[in-house]
Amino acid sequence: MQYIGNIIFLILLVAGFGLFAKSLLKIYRNIRLGHEINRNDRKSERWSTMARVAMGQSKMTARPVAGVLHLFVYVGFVIINIELIEIIVDGIFGTHRFLASVFGHVFYSFFTATLEVLALLVVIGVVVFFIRRNFYGVKRLTMKELFGWPKNDANWILIIEFALMVAFFKMNASDFILQSRGVLPVHGSFPISEMTLVPFLEIFSFDNGFLMFTEKAAWWFHFVGILFFMNYLYYSKHLHIILAFPSTWYANLDKKGKFNNLESVTKEIKLMMDPNADPYAAPAEGAEADVPSKFGAEDIFDLNQVQLLNAYSCTECGRCTSVCPANITGKKLSPRLILMKTRDRLEEVGRNIDQNGKFVDDGKKLLNDYITKEELWACTTCNACTDACPVLLDPLSIIFEMRRFLVMEQSAAPQELNLMMTNVENNAAPWQYNQADRLNWATEN
């Protein structure tokens, strides 16, 4: 009977990590629905970018208050969960504060005190974020596109993190009192718990049995809470905790807004402009393989894998939308929503595959069913959204590809663009005048 707790712990541990691995594999499968793109060049620059942006949070400082608070939550929560190693060992083998025997008394006291300070910073961060999101009225956090699940999801994560930190303090406070009474060996230093919860618990003079129960209950709550949080990530925008790292690694390092010309189209144009080329010559061996089956993107299958990874990595912070000139002037476009809708469609396709074993046409497309032409053509391609993103996501590239489909596959460009392209074709200039008059602007009066 004495090993019942250890067995239950082990079952929960295996089940929790197993479900988490299953979710990650499903995300990986969904991302691979896109076509491959080679982003393995300039490796040293990519390592540097990932370290600076994903780990170092360098772009968060563009908004200092939010940046510092996010750093509190991010660094604090990650480092505090190093204690998960100790929890796992203690849970499996029935030990108590295993790392104390590894670190030694002095370093373990420094370690636990540091965790307490970081936990306090996490509490401060999540409380301020909760107030900003729900009561302060930050425009980008109160837009209509966040109503419903996105807003609830953000609040639930903040509540979960707050509850986990409170359980952490409660566990340490109970442990401290039991240590001071000689019930448990003296391990660690708990300055925050000692100043806050310990006086409260001592007021009521709780007996050792109740404190042992409180300490163990808080320990179990912290452990189960971490497993729950880990598996909740799949359904949450907070998946960026993990995916921000590959997203920054595979980020586009070329000049922002650079249009990715299709090699097959470039070859065709060069052929048309070559006076010595034979238009009736048979294509070279393998040339047909260079021609894509579809120009641009109509659905998630037409996007590349980095674009689908971006959709899963979106933090929904709205920094992109807050600087979008189209959105600011009242147009329908929201770069954040482009990524959110892409992720929604990708998840819908994933559920279709789960249900049928393969994708069965559901009569829907990313274009029109999720993202409208009005949104796409409202974009000025100024690249403000990609520049503002704290994890280097690129909603503009998705807009580019969907526009390319509209123009090259459906000839569905707006009238103004069609007129411009007709003028280029007929007059070799965007304006509607005779080619003989092209240089009149340079004529001296």
Side-chain angles (χ1 to χ4, degrees):
M1 291 294 290
Q2 63 177 324
Y3 298 112
I4 291 287
N6 305 72
I7 294 171
I8 293 173
F9 179 92
L10 192 58
I11 291 172
L12 288 174
L13 183 68
V14 172
F17 276 89
L19 289 172
F20 181 59
K22 183 179 178 181
S23 297
L24 290 182
L25 287 173
K26 188 178 291 186
I27 291 169
Y28 178 70
R29 179 206 66 189
N30 290 352
I31 290 173
R32 285 179 59 83
L33 294 174
H35 59 79
E36 293 185 5
I37 179 173
N38 185 6
R39 288 275 177 86
N40 290 311
D41 59 332
R42 301 153 71 175
K43 285 185 170 60
S44 60
E45 188 176 353
R46 293 190 180 281
W47 280 114
S48 174
T49 300
M50 184 177 72
R52 185 180 70 257
V53 178
M55 188 173 293
Q57 307 278 295
S58 61
K59 296 203 71 176
M60 291 297 295
T61 56
R63 299 173 186 263
V65 174
V68 170
L69 291 171
H70 189 273
L71 193 65
F72 286 171
V73 176
Y74 169 74
V75 175
F77 193 75
V78 170
I79 293 179
I80 285 167
N81 284 314
I82 292 175
E83 194 186 27
L84 185 61
I85 299 170
E86 183 175 61
I87 289 176
I88 290 173
V89 174
D90 287 348
I92 294 175
F93 297 103
T95 54
H96 182 73
R97 296 194 176 274
F98 161 77
L99 288 179
S101 62
V102 177
F103 291 161
H105 177 73
V106 175
F107 186 75
Y108 187 73
S109 294
F110 172 77
F111 172 70
T112 52
T114 301
L115 293 186
E116 287 244 317
V117 173
L118 290 173
L120 178 62
L121 294 178
V122 172
V123 169
I124 294 171
V126 297
V127 168
V128 175
F129 276 141
F130 188 86
I131 293 171
R132 287 179 79 246
R133 184 170 288 274
N134 294 280
F135 304 107
Y136 188 66
V138 179
K139 184 179 179 181
R140 63 188 171 89
L141 301 178
T142 56
M143 299 176 70
K144 186 177 180 181
E145 63 204 50
L146 293 184
F147 288 2
W149 170 250
K151 180 178 180 179
N152 293 337
D153 168 45
N155 285 334
W156 275 117
I157 285 290
L158 295 175
I159 292 169
I160 291 169
E161 290 178 344
F162 180 83
L164 288 174
M165 295 305 101
V166 170
F168 176 72
F169 287 131
K170 195 172 183 180
M171 176 183 72
N172 287 346
S174 302
D175 206 324
F176 175 83
I177 297 174
L178 290 169
Q179 289 182 27
S180 65
R181 294 179 183 178
V183 178
L184 293 175
V186 177
H187 292 312
S189 175
F190 316 108
I192 307 302
S193 298
E194 191 177 346
M195 287 188 297
T196 55
L197 290 181
V198 168
F200 174 78
L201 293 174
E202 287 183 332
I203 288 175
F204 296 96
S205 301
F206 292 121
D207 60 29
N208 293 341
F210 180 83
L211 290 174
M212 288 289 287
F213 171 80
T214 301
E215 191 271 344
K216 208 62 181 174
W219 183 90
W220 274 100
F221 182 89
H222 193 75
F223 168 66
V224 174
I226 289 172
L227 294 183
F228 176 81
F229 179 87
M230 186 169 64
N231 283 281
Y232 178 76
L233 289 180
Y234 174 77
Y235 306 95
S236 170
K237 76 185 183 76
H238 289 77
L239 199 57
H240 72 269
I241 292 173
I242 301 169
L243 296 185
F245 291 89
S247 286
T248 50
W249 165 269
Y250 290 112
N252 185 4
L253 299 180
D254 292 334
K255 291 181 179 179
K256 290 182 173 62
K258 180 181 178 182
F259 196 77
N260 58 325
N261 294 321
L262 296 177
E263 188 64 26
S264 58
V265 176
T266 302
K267 288 180 179 178
E268 185 71 19
I269 292 174
K270 287 181 177 179
L271 180 66
M272 293 170 61
M273 297 180 68
D274 185 357
N276 299 316
D278 181 2
Y280 301 104
E285 185 178 351
E288 291 296 326
D290 295 336
V291 181
S293 58
K294 183 187 292 184
F295 293 106
E298 181 184 22
D299 208 349
I300 55 103
F301 305 101
D302 309 317
L303 296 172
N304 66 53
Q305 292 173 3
V306 173
Q307 289 167 327
L308 299 185
L309 172 63
N310 280 186
Y312 271 123
S313 305
C314 179
T315 70
E316 297 178 15
C317 66
R319 294 188 181 205
C320 54
T321 297
S322 68
V323 297
C324 174
N327 188 275
I328 291 171
T329 55
K331 295 181 176 62
K332 193 175 181 180
L333 174 65
S334 168
R336 168 173 57 189
L337 204 52
I338 294 292
L339 290 172
M340 291 171 67
K341 289 178 177 179
T342 302
R343 182 180 62 212
D344 289 344
R345 173 58 180 164
L346 185 54
E347 277 293 290
E348 182 178 52
V349 169
R351 289 191 295 271
N352 185 309
I353 295 173
D354 290 339
Q355 184 176 350
N356 301 297
K358 61 178 182 179
F359 179 69
V360 176
D361 189 5
D362 58 0
K364 295 181 181 179
K365 302 290 183 183
L366 180 62
L367 179 62
N368 293 325
D369 290 302
Y370 283 82
I371 299 173
T372 65
K373 296 176 185 177
E374 181 184 352
E375 293 172 86
L376 296 174
W377 291 116
C379 177
T380 67
T381 66
C382 68
N383 217 71
C385 56
T386 58
D387 187 60
C389 181
V391 288
L392 304 181
L393 307 186
D394 190 6
L396 182 57
S397 68
I398 297 175
I399 295 172
F400 268 168
E401 291 302 324
M402 298 186 76
R403 279 185 172 184
R404 196 197 305 257
F405 176 82
L406 288 172
V407 173
M408 299 186 72
E409 293 284 345
Q410 295 188 338
S411 300
Q415 182 179 355
E416 295 84 356
L417 273 182
N418 285 330
L419 179 60
M420 182 272 292
M421 288 186 282
T422 300
N423 289 334
V424 169
E425 181 178 2
N426 295 332
N427 307 323
W431 302 280
Q432 194 170 6
Y433 52 66
N434 192 285
Q435 290 194 43
D437 298 328
R438 289 186 64 190
L439 296 178
N440 284 353
W441 66 272
T443 303
E444 292 185 8
N445 295 324

